[in-house]
Amino acid sequence: ALRRGTKHDFSALSVHGAYSMFASRSEGVAMRLGFTGTQMGMTQAQSLAVFDEVDALFPDEADHGLCIGADKQFHEMLRGLSPSVYIVGHPPSNQSKMADCDCDRLWLPKPYLDRNRDIVDASDRLLAAPQGPEEQRSGTWSTVRYARKRGKPITIVWPDGSVTREN
């Protein structure tokens, strides 16, 4: 398992970004959910609404950014709902805010914006838990904007627990 505050050795990663010991699960996967959220974590209302969304979507596979805060909460939620969900972590190149999560597969570490685009590109839809209204200098909102450009269905769960769906 990855440990926060520990320098991790990613030298065993393949050129394609994932540990070579794991086979591709893209064939036959009914739905792959991407997640983005703030390093500050989700509010209680937001967490409950994200739980309901995940429970309704019940993804076969989920991708997240492997950071402290909302990514860690999302990861634990998935493991609690269904230990069989295949979880893919997209670690940031800056490991100082990496969460300790037991992912089934890891991509190569990348700068935040690059790995956020990878999450969107690898997913069928995006679930976002922002800290508040859209802003320019926010990784969560940058990920949502990229998903919009790519035409992906997006579900935004606001801090008060309300939900907005796009596409």
Side-chain angles (χ1 to χ4, degrees):
L2 295 174
R3 300 269 179 244
R4 195 170 121 220
T6 304
K7 192 141 179 101
H8 298 286
D9 178 13
F10 292 98
S11 60
L13 293 170
S14 74
V15 209
H16 301 290
Y19 279 110
S20 56
M21 67 177 107
F22 294 105
S24 170
R25 289 180 46 103
S26 57
E27 295 166 16
V29 172
M31 203 274 287
R32 190 165 176 179
L33 180 64
F35 177 81
T36 184
T38 174
Q39 294 176 8
M40 302 299 291
M42 294 182 275
T43 66
Q44 185 174 8
Q46 204 170 27
S47 195
L48 291 170
V50 165
F51 180 92
D52 289 343
E53 291 297 316
V54 171
D55 191 39
L57 293 169
F58 212 76
D60 295 293
E61 191 166 324
D63 293 59
H64 66 74
L66 205 58
C67 270
I68 58 172
D71 287 344
K72 173 75 171 175
Q73 291 171 299
F74 176 73
H75 184 92
E76 291 173 350
M77 187 181 297
L78 282 171
R79 286 289 184 232
L81 270 171
S82 175
S84 67
V85 173
Y86 191 82
I87 301 177
V88 180
H90 297 257
S93 53
N94 175 358
Q95 295 181 20
S96 67
K97 295 190 177 179
M98 190 182 302
D100 178 16
C101 297
D102 61 330
C103 294
D104 297 301
R105 186 176 62 178
L106 293 174
W107 282 50
L108 286 168
K110 289 187 177 179
Y112 289 112
L113 294 178
D114 294 335
R115 68 95 204 243
N116 291 347
R117 288 183 190 111
D118 287 344
I119 292 168
V120 171
D121 289 338
S123 304
D124 298 315
R125 64 181 314 119
L126 182 70
L127 178 59
Q131 191 173 356
E134 187 165 349
E135 55 185 278
Q136 286 302 307
R137 298 190 52 81
S138 160
T140 301
W141 282 110
S142 173
T143 307
V144 170
R145 286 190 293 273
Y146 182 71
R148 286 174 179 151
K149 284 182 191 174
R150 304 288 295 165
K152 302 278 179 151
I154 303 164
T155 302
I156 301 170
V157 179
W158 301 95
D160 67 359
S162 61
V163 175
T164 303
R165 289 180 178 75
E166 300 180 10
N167 295 337

